[in-house]
Amino acid sequence: MYRFAKAALNLNGQAGRQVAVRHVSSEASRAFHAKFGMPLLVTGATFCTAVWAYVITSTGISWNLSPVGKVQPKEWKE
């Protein structure tokens, strides 16, 4: 990204096109996602599920999902 920003500040448009073409043609990103994409997704989903399962079951948070029947009006004071 640094090379692209440097080329964008350059007045010569050819330099920007060269950096953009070089960036698009890189196979490193595609190879990384092809190799590690699904394991990272599964690991992230498992971690998220585990954390939320812990929060819901073990922290003792009172969730108070519905106030119906729990909210009572106060007595009128004159």
Side-chain angles (χ1 to χ4, degrees), residues 46-56:
T46 304
F47 177 77
C48 183
T49 303
V51 167
W52 275 109
Y54 172 77
V55 168
I56 290 170

Side-chain angles (χ1 to χ4, degrees), residues 41-78:
L41 182 66
V42 170
T43 304
T46 304
F47 177 77
C48 183
T49 303
V51 167
W52 275 109
Y54 172 77
V55 168
I56 290 170
T57 59
S58 299
T59 58
I61 294 175
S62 176
W63 292 97
N64 296 327
L65 297 176
S66 174
V68 175
K70 297 177 185 175
V71 178
Q72 301 294 328
K74 294 181 181 178
E75 291 186 21
W76 183 260
K77 294 180 182 179
E78 291 189 29

